Coordinates of all heavy atoms in Angstrom, one line a residue:
M1 N 37.2 -39.1 34.8 CA 37.2 -39.9 33.7 C 35.8 -39.7 32.9 O 34.8 -39.2 33.5 CB 37.4 -41.3 33.8 CG 36.3 -42.0 34.5 SD 36.7 -43.8 34.7 CE 35.3 -44.3 35.7
T2 N 35.7 -40.0 31.6 CA 34.6 -39.8 30.9 C 34.0 -41.1 30.7 O 34.6 -42.1 30.2 CB 34.8 -39.1 29.5 OG1 35.5 -38.0 29.7 CG2 33.6 -38.9 28.7
I3 N 32.6 -41.3 30.9 CA 31.8 -42.4 30.8 C 30.8 -42.3 29.8 O 30.1 -41.3 29.7 CB 31.1 -42.8 32.1 CG1 32.2 -43.1 33.3 CG2 30.2 -44.1 32.0 CD1 31.6 -43.2 34.6
N4 N 30.7 -43.2 28.8 CA 29.8 -43.1 27.8 C 28.8 -44.4 27.9 O 29.4 -45.5 28.0 CB 30.5 -43.2 26.4 CG 31.1 -41.9 26.0 OD1 30.3 -40.9 25.8 ND2 32.3 -41.8 25.9
L5 N 27.5 -43.9 28.0 CA 26.5 -45.0 28.0 C 25.4 -44.8 27.1 O 25.0 -43.7 26.7 CB 25.8 -45.0 29.6 CG 26.8 -45.2 30.7 CD1 26.1 -44.8 31.9 CD2 27.3 -46.6 30.8
Q6 N 24.8 -45.9 26.7 CA 23.5 -45.9 25.9 C 22.4 -46.1 26.7 O 22.4 -47.1 27.4 CB 23.6 -46.9 24.8 CG 24.7 -46.8 23.7 CD 24.2 -45.7 22.8 OE1 25.0 -44.6 22.7 NE2 23.0 -45.6 22.1
V7 N 21.4 -45.1 26.7 CA 20.2 -45.2 27.4 C 19.0 -45.0 26.5 O 18.4 -44.0 26.2 CB 20.1 -44.0 28.5 CG1 18.9 -44.2 29.4 CG2 21.4 -44.1 29.4
P8 N 18.6 -46.1 25.9 CA 17.6 -46.1 24.8 C 16.2 -45.8 25.3 O 15.3 -45.5 24.6 CB 17.6 -47.6 24.1 CG 18.2 -48.3 25.2 CD 19.3 -47.5 25.9
S9 N 16.0 -45.9 26.6 CA 14.6 -45.6 27.2 C 14.3 -44.1 27.1 O 13.2 -43.8 27.5 CB 14.6 -46.3 28.6 OG 15.7 -45.7 29.4
M10 N 15.3 -43.3 26.9 CA 15.1 -41.9 26.9 C 14.3 -41.5 25.6 O 14.8 -41.9 24.5 CB 16.3 -41.0 27.0 CG 17.1 -41.2 28.2 SD 18.5 -40.0 28.3 CE 19.4 -40.5 26.8
V11 N 13.1 -40.9 25.7 CA 12.4 -40.6 24.5 C 12.0 -39.1 24.4 O 11.5 -38.7 23.2 CB 11.1 -41.6 24.4 CG1 11.4 -42.9 24.2 CG2 10.2 -41.3 25.6
C12 N 12.2 -38.3 25.3 CA 11.9 -36.9 25.2 C 12.8 -36.1 26.2 O 13.6 -36.6 26.9 CB 10.5 -36.7 25.7 SG 10.0 -37.0 27.4
D13 N 12.5 -34.8 26.1 CA 13.3 -33.9 26.9 C 13.2 -34.1 28.4 O 14.0 -33.8 29.2 CB 13.0 -32.4 26.6 CG 13.5 -32.0 25.2 OD1 14.5 -32.6 24.8 OD2 13.0 -31.1 24.7
G14 N 11.9 -34.5 28.7 CA 11.6 -34.9 30.1 C 12.5 -36.0 30.6 O 13.0 -35.9 31.8
C15 N 12.8 -37.0 29.8 CA 13.6 -38.1 30.2 C 15.1 -37.5 30.3 O 15.8 -38.0 31.2 CB 13.6 -39.2 29.1 SG 12.1 -39.9 28.8
V16 N 15.5 -36.6 29.4 CA 16.8 -36.2 29.6 C 17.0 -35.4 30.9 O 18.0 -35.5 31.6 CB 17.1 -35.1 28.4 CG1 18.4 -34.4 28.5 CG2 17.1 -35.9 27.0
T17 N 15.9 -34.6 31.2 CA 16.1 -33.8 32.5 C 16.0 -34.9 33.7 O 16.9 -34.7 34.7 CB 14.9 -33.0 32.6 OG1 14.9 -32.1 31.5 CG2 14.9 -32.2 34.0
T18 N 15.3 -35.9 33.7 CA 15.3 -37.0 34.7 C 16.6 -37.5 34.9 O 17.2 -37.7 36.0 CB 14.2 -38.0 34.5 OG1 12.9 -37.4 34.2 CG2 14.2 -39.0 35.5
V19 N 17.2 -38.0 33.8 CA 18.5 -38.7 33.9 C 19.6 -37.6 34.4 O 20.4 -38.0 35.2 CB 18.9 -39.3 32.6 CG1 20.3 -39.9 32.6 CG2 17.9 -40.4 32.2
T20 N 19.6 -36.4 33.8 CA 20.5 -35.4 34.2 C 20.5 -35.2 35.6 O 21.5 -35.2 36.3 CB 20.5 -34.2 33.3 OG1 20.5 -34.4 32.0 CG2 21.5 -33.1 33.7
E21 N 19.3 -34.9 36.1 CA 19.2 -34.5 37.6 C 19.5 -35.7 38.5 O 20.0 -35.5 39.6 CB 17.8 -34.0 37.8 CG 17.5 -32.6 37.2 CD 16.2 -31.9 37.4 OE1 15.2 -32.7 37.9 OE2 16.0 -30.7 37.1
A22 N 19.1 -36.9 38.1 CA 19.4 -38.0 38.9 C 21.0 -38.2 39.1 O 21.4 -38.4 40.2 CB 18.9 -39.3 38.3
I23 N 21.6 -37.9 38.0 CA 23.2 -38.1 38.0 C 23.7 -37.0 39.0 O 24.5 -37.2 39.9 CB 23.8 -38.1 36.7 CG1 23.3 -39.4 36.0 CG2 25.4 -38.0 36.8 CD1 23.8 -39.4 34.5
T24 N 23.3 -35.7 38.7 CA 23.9 -34.6 39.4 C 23.4 -34.5 40.9 O 24.1 -34.0 41.8 CB 23.6 -33.2 38.7 OG1 22.3 -33.0 38.5 CG2 24.2 -33.1 37.3
T25 N 22.4 -35.0 41.2 CA 21.9 -35.1 42.6 C 22.9 -36.1 43.4 O 23.3 -35.7 44.5 CB 20.5 -35.7 42.7 OG1 19.6 -34.7 42.1 CG2 20.1 -35.8 44.2
H26 N 23.1 -37.1 42.8 CA 24.2 -38.1 43.4 C 25.6 -37.7 43.4 O 26.4 -38.0 44.2 CB 23.8 -39.6 42.9 CG 22.7 -40.2 43.3 ND1 21.5 -39.9 42.6 CD2 22.3 -41.0 44.3 CE1 20.5 -40.5 43.2 NE2 20.9 -41.3 44.3
E27 N 25.9 -37.1 42.2 CA 27.2 -36.8 42.0 C 27.3 -35.4 41.5 O 27.5 -35.1 40.3 CB 27.8 -37.8 40.8 CG 27.7 -39.2 41.1 CD 28.7 -39.7 42.3 OE1 29.7 -38.9 42.6 OE2 28.5 -40.7 42.8
P28 N 27.3 -34.5 42.5 CA 27.2 -33.0 42.2 C 28.4 -32.4 41.2 O 28.2 -31.4 40.6 CB 27.2 -32.3 43.5 CG 26.8 -33.4 44.4 CD 27.3 -34.7 43.9
E29 N 29.5 -33.1 41.3 CA 30.6 -32.8 40.5 C 30.5 -33.2 39.0 O 31.3 -32.7 38.2 CB 31.9 -33.1 41.2 CG 32.6 -34.4 40.6 CD 31.8 -35.5 40.9 OE1 30.8 -35.6 41.6 OE2 32.2 -36.6 40.4
A30 N 29.5 -34.0 38.7 CA 29.6 -34.7 37.4 C 29.2 -33.6 36.4 O 28.3 -32.8 36.6 CB 28.7 -35.9 37.4
K31 N 29.6 -33.8 35.1 CA 29.2 -33.0 34.1 C 28.5 -34.0 33.1 O 29.1 -35.0 32.7 CB 30.4 -32.4 33.3 CG 31.0 -31.2 34.1 CD 31.7 -30.2 33.1 CE 32.3 -29.1 33.8 NZ 33.7 -29.2 34.0
V32 N 27.3 -33.6 32.9 CA 26.5 -34.6 31.9 C 26.1 -34.1 30.7 O 25.6 -32.8 30.6 CB 25.1 -35.0 32.7 CG1 24.4 -36.0 32.0 CG2 25.4 -35.5 34.2
E33 N 26.3 -34.8 29.6 CA 25.9 -34.5 28.2 C 25.0 -35.4 27.7 O 25.5 -36.6 27.6 CB 27.2 -34.1 27.4 CG 27.7 -32.7 27.4 CD 28.8 -32.7 26.6 OE1 28.8 -33.2 25.3 OE2 29.9 -32.2 27.1
I34 N 23.8 -35.2 27.2 CA 23.1 -36.2 26.6 C 22.7 -35.8 25.3 O 22.1 -34.7 24.9 CB 21.7 -36.4 27.6 CG1 22.1 -36.9 29.0 CG2 20.7 -37.4 26.9 CD1 21.0 -37.1 29.9
N35 N 22.7 -36.8 24.3 CA 22.2 -36.6 23.0 C 20.9 -37.5 22.9 O 21.1 -38.7 22.9 CB 23.3 -37.0 22.0 CG 22.9 -36.8 20.6 OD1 21.7 -37.0 20.3 ND2 23.8 -36.5 19.8
L36 N 19.8 -36.9 22.8 CA 18.6 -37.6 22.7 C 18.4 -38.3 21.4 O 17.9 -39.5 21.3 CB 17.5 -36.6 22.8 CG 15.9 -37.2 23.0 CD1 15.8 -38.1 24.2 CD2 15.0 -36.1 23.2
D37 N 19.1 -38.0 20.3 CA 18.9 -38.5 19.0 C 19.8 -39.9 19.0 O 19.1 -40.9 18.5 CB 19.4 -37.7 18.0 CG 18.6 -36.5 17.6 OD1 17.3 -36.5 17.9 OD2 19.0 -35.4 17.3
T38 N 20.8 -39.9 19.6 CA 21.7 -41.0 19.7 C 21.5 -41.9 20.9 O 22.0 -43.0 21.2 CB 23.1 -40.8 19.5 OG1 23.5 -40.0 20.4 CG2 23.4 -40.1 18.1
K39 N 20.8 -41.3 21.9 CA 20.5 -42.0 23.2 C 21.8 -42.1 24.1 O 21.9 -42.9 24.9 CB 19.8 -43.2 23.1 CG 18.7 -43.4 22.1 CD 17.5 -42.7 22.5 CE 16.3 -42.9 21.6 NZ 15.1 -42.0 21.9
Q40 N 22.7 -41.2 23.7 CA 24.0 -41.3 24.3 C 24.1 -40.5 25.5 O 23.8 -39.2 25.5 CB 25.1 -41.0 23.4 CG 26.7 -41.4 24.0 CD 27.6 -41.1 23.0 OE1 27.9 -40.1 22.5 NE2 28.4 -42.2 22.7
V41 N 24.6 -40.9 26.6 CA 24.9 -40.2 27.9 C 26.4 -40.2 28.1 O 27.0 -41.3 28.2 CB 24.1 -40.8 29.0 CG1 24.4 -40.0 30.3 CG2 22.6 -40.9 28.8
K42 N 26.8 -38.9 28.1 CA 28.2 -38.8 28.4 C 28.3 -38.2 29.8 O 27.8 -37.0 30.0 CB 28.9 -37.9 27.3 CG 30.4 -37.8 27.3 CD 30.9 -37.0 26.1 CE 32.1 -36.3 26.4 NZ 32.5 -35.4 25.3
V43 N 29.2 -38.8 30.6 CA 29.3 -38.3 32.0 C 30.7 -38.1 32.4 O 31.6 -39.1 32.2 CB 28.7 -39.2 33.1 CG1 28.7 -38.5 34.5 CG2 27.3 -39.6 32.6
E44 N 31.2 -36.9 32.7 CA 32.6 -36.7 33.2 C 32.5 -36.6 34.7 O 31.8 -35.8 35.3 CB 32.9 -35.3 32.7 CG 33.7 -35.4 31.4 CD 34.7 -34.3 31.2 OE1 35.6 -34.0 32.0 OE2 34.5 -33.6 30.1
T45 N 33.0 -37.6 35.4 CA 33.0 -37.9 36.8 C 34.1 -38.7 37.3 O 34.8 -39.4 36.6 CB 31.6 -38.5 37.1 OG1 31.4 -38.7 38.5 CG2 31.4 -39.9 36.4
N46 N 34.2 -38.6 38.7 CA 35.1 -39.5 39.4 C 34.4 -40.7 39.9 O 35.1 -41.6 40.3 CB 35.8 -38.8 40.5 CG 36.7 -37.6 40.1 OD1 37.4 -37.8 39.1 ND2 36.7 -36.5 40.7
A47 N 33.1 -40.8 39.7 CA 32.3 -42.0 40.1 C 32.5 -43.1 39.2 O 33.0 -42.9 38.0 CB 30.8 -41.6 40.2
S48 N 32.3 -44.3 39.7 CA 32.5 -45.5 38.7 C 31.4 -45.6 37.8 O 30.3 -45.1 38.0 CB 32.5 -46.7 39.6 OG 31.3 -47.0 40.1
E49 N 31.7 -46.4 36.7 CA 30.8 -46.5 35.7 C 29.5 -47.4 36.3 O 28.4 -47.0 35.9 CB 31.3 -47.3 34.5 CG 30.3 -47.6 33.4 CD 30.9 -48.0 32.1 OE1 32.1 -47.8 31.8 OE2 30.3 -48.9 31.4
E50 N 29.8 -48.2 37.2 CA 28.8 -49.1 37.7 C 27.8 -48.1 38.6 O 26.6 -48.4 38.6 CB 29.5 -50.1 38.7 CG 28.5 -51.3 39.0 CD 27.9 -51.8 37.7 OE1 28.5 -52.1 36.7 OE2 26.7 -52.1 37.7
S51 N 28.4 -47.3 39.3 CA 27.4 -46.4 40.3 C 26.7 -45.4 39.3 O 25.5 -45.2 39.6 CB 28.3 -45.6 41.1 OG 29.0 -44.5 40.6
I52 N 27.2 -44.9 38.2 CA 26.4 -44.2 37.2 C 25.3 -44.9 36.7 O 24.1 -44.5 36.6 CB 27.2 -43.5 36.1 CG1 28.4 -42.6 36.8 CG2 26.4 -42.7 35.1 CD1 27.7 -41.4 37.6
K53 N 25.6 -46.2 36.3 CA 24.6 -47.2 35.7 C 23.4 -47.3 36.8 O 22.2 -47.3 36.3 CB 25.2 -48.5 35.4 CG 26.0 -48.5 34.0 CD 26.4 -49.8 33.7 CE 27.2 -49.9 32.4 NZ 27.8 -51.4 32.2
Q54 N 23.8 -47.5 38.0 CA 22.8 -47.8 39.0 C 22.0 -46.5 39.2 O 20.7 -46.6 39.4 CB 23.5 -48.1 40.4 CG 23.9 -49.5 40.4 CD 24.7 -49.9 41.7 OE1 24.7 -49.1 42.7 NE2 25.3 -51.0 41.6
I55 N 22.5 -45.3 39.2 CA 21.8 -44.1 39.4 C 20.7 -44.0 38.2 O 19.6 -43.7 38.5 CB 22.7 -42.9 39.4 CG1 23.5 -42.8 40.6 CG2 21.9 -41.6 39.2 CD1 24.7 -41.8 40.6
I56 N 21.1 -44.3 37.0 CA 20.3 -44.2 35.9 C 19.1 -45.1 35.9 O 17.9 -44.8 35.7 CB 21.0 -44.4 34.6 CG1 22.0 -43.2 34.4 CG2 20.0 -44.3 33.4 CD1 22.9 -43.4 33.2
T57 N 19.5 -46.4 36.3 CA 18.5 -47.5 36.4 C 17.5 -47.1 37.6 O 16.4 -47.3 37.5 CB 19.2 -48.8 36.8 OG1 20.1 -49.1 35.9 CG2 18.2 -49.9 36.9
A58 N 17.9 -46.6 38.7 CA 17.1 -46.2 39.7 C 16.2 -45.1 39.4 O 15.1 -45.0 40.0 CB 18.0 -45.9 41.0
A59 N 16.6 -44.3 38.4 CA 15.7 -43.1 37.9 C 14.6 -43.7 37.0 O 13.9 -43.0 36.4 CB 16.6 -42.1 37.2
G60 N 14.6 -45.0 36.8 CA 13.6 -45.6 35.9 C 14.1 -45.7 34.5 O 13.1 -46.1 33.6
H61 N 15.3 -45.7 34.1 CA 15.7 -45.9 32.7 C 16.6 -47.1 32.6 O 17.1 -47.7 33.5 CB 16.5 -44.6 32.2 CG 15.5 -43.5 32.1 ND1 14.9 -43.3 30.8 CD2 14.9 -42.5 32.7 CE1 14.0 -42.4 30.8 NE2 14.0 -41.8 32.0
T62 N 16.8 -47.4 31.3 CA 17.5 -48.6 31.0 C 18.8 -48.4 30.3 O 18.7 -47.7 29.3 CB 16.6 -49.5 30.1 OG1 15.3 -49.7 30.7 CG2 17.2 -50.8 29.9
V63 N 20.0 -48.8 30.9 CA 21.3 -48.7 30.3 C 21.5 -49.9 29.5 O 21.4 -51.1 30.0 CB 22.4 -48.5 31.4 CG1 23.7 -48.4 30.8 CG2 22.0 -47.4 32.4
E64 N 21.9 -49.7 28.2 CA 22.2 -50.8 27.4 C 23.6 -51.4 27.5 O 24.6 -50.6 27.7 CB 22.0 -50.4 25.9 CG 21.4 -51.5 25.1 CD 21.1 -51.0 23.7 OE1 21.9 -50.3 23.0 OE2 19.9 -51.1 23.3
Ligands
LIG1 CU1 10.5 -38.8 28.3

């Protein structure tokens, strides 16, 4: 399924890399698309929305 999350704490390409790598480290099959302008994180995965939120939070970012 596709999960859409808002992560307003991302402010630069480094943040995008951090969030992307955090997700793909935990969920190697996940496809991650991030739009830095809209702060939108789109994840195609079999993992639950809750677990993706936890991964992003553990990487130091805030899910709205
Ligand atoms: Cu950054």
Side-chain angles (χ1 to χ4, degrees):
M1 68 176 173
T2 303
I3 297 168
N4 283 294
L5 298 168
Q6 287 293 119
V7 183
S9 58
M10 296 185 302
V11 294
C12 71
D13 287 338
C15 299
V16 171
T17 302
T18 300
V19 171
T20 302
E21 287 182 351
I23 295 169
T24 55
T25 296
H26 289 84
E27 302 292 341
E29 97 296 351
K31 289 206 178 100
V32 183
E33 273 178 49
I34 297 179
N35 185 321
L36 187 57
D37 293 327
T38 61
K39 316 289 188 192
Q40 189 177 60
V41 177
K42 183 175 159 185
V43 187
E44 273 200 52
T45 180
N46 294 321
S48 69
E49 179 167 333
E50 200 50 47
S51 71
I52 298 297
K53 280 184 184 175
Q54 280 177 13
I55 290 167
I56 294 172
T57 303
H61 283 274
T62 308
V63 180
E64 213 167 56

